[in-house]
Amino acid sequence: MTFAMLLVVPGVSYGEIFWSLRCDLMVHSVLILNATPTPSGSCLDWQKLCTQCGPNARYEQSWALDSTDEKIYMFGGSDINGTLNDMWVFDLASDQWTQEFPANTPPSARYQQAMVYDPVKKKVFMFGGKTDRKSTRLNSSHT
């Protein structure tokens, strides 16, 4: 059987005056072959993944998927206190978050950066981003 997943990570929820952050991780598993109705009567069913012991609520973070080892990497972003420079890994197989600490100095805090996982080199590559709300743009890359 073949499965496909759509990962939805809620970020900022805008209201008329106030905004709030959400940090729920949801997975939408779709059975592509041999699609059999689930108890809810649909082949499509939402399943909430672990949100315990994971990163704090944030927005404008970057994500990279390692589909071979079934891991999702997340870096930085912003929360209500400012810009972040932490790295988290979500293991889809074990449904667990782990905070990663680099061996050397981590990249500076940033948001709106680009990030991708290279399955050949087994590394995450990150480029650019912004450092503050004054839109100071970064022109640096990190692995």
Side-chain angles (χ1 to χ4, degrees):
M1 291 187 209
T2 303
F3 293 90
M5 286 188 275
L6 169 65
L7 295 168
V8 178
V9 183
V12 178
S13 174
Y14 291 96
E16 289 182 4
I17 299 174
F18 302 101
W19 58 271
S20 63
L21 295 169
R22 303 274 312 177
C23 198
D24 294 338
L25 183 62
M26 303 287 285
V27 63
H28 194 174
S29 297
V30 181
L31 186 59
I32 296 174
L33 299 175
N34 193 18
T36 306
T38 61
S40 65
S42 168
C43 296
L44 311 175
D45 197 21
W46 287 100
Q47 173 192 357
K48 185 174 183 178
L49 296 178
C50 172
T51 57
Q52 302 298 319
C53 303
N56 61 319
R58 63 190 64 209
Y59 59 99
E60 298 182 315
Q61 67 274 26
S62 58
W63 298 90
L65 172 65
D66 172 0
S67 59
T68 304
D69 291 332
E70 298 183 339
K71 296 181 188 291
I72 302 170
Y73 295 86
M74 183 190 75
F75 181 84
S78 297
D79 66 9
I80 59 173
N81 297 312
T83 308
L84 305 165
N85 74 331
D86 53 348
M87 171 72 85
W88 288 84
V89 179
F90 186 79
D91 187 319
L92 289 163
S94 67
D95 194 25
Q96 295 295 316
W97 282 106
T98 305
Q99 187 171 8
E100 296 287 319
F101 298 96
N104 52 12
T105 305
S108 61
R110 61 190 65 210
Y111 65 99
Q112 293 184 354
Q113 65 277 5
M115 198 163 79
V116 66
Y117 180 79
D118 181 340
V120 175
K121 294 184 178 181
K122 293 195 169 281
K123 288 185 176 185
V124 173
F125 291 87
M126 182 175 56
F127 176 77
K130 295 179 181 178
T131 58
D132 54 39
R133 291 293 146 203
K134 295 176 186 167
S135 298
T136 304
R137 296 185 188 277
L138 298 168
N139 190 22
S140 60
S141 59
H142 301 272
T143 59

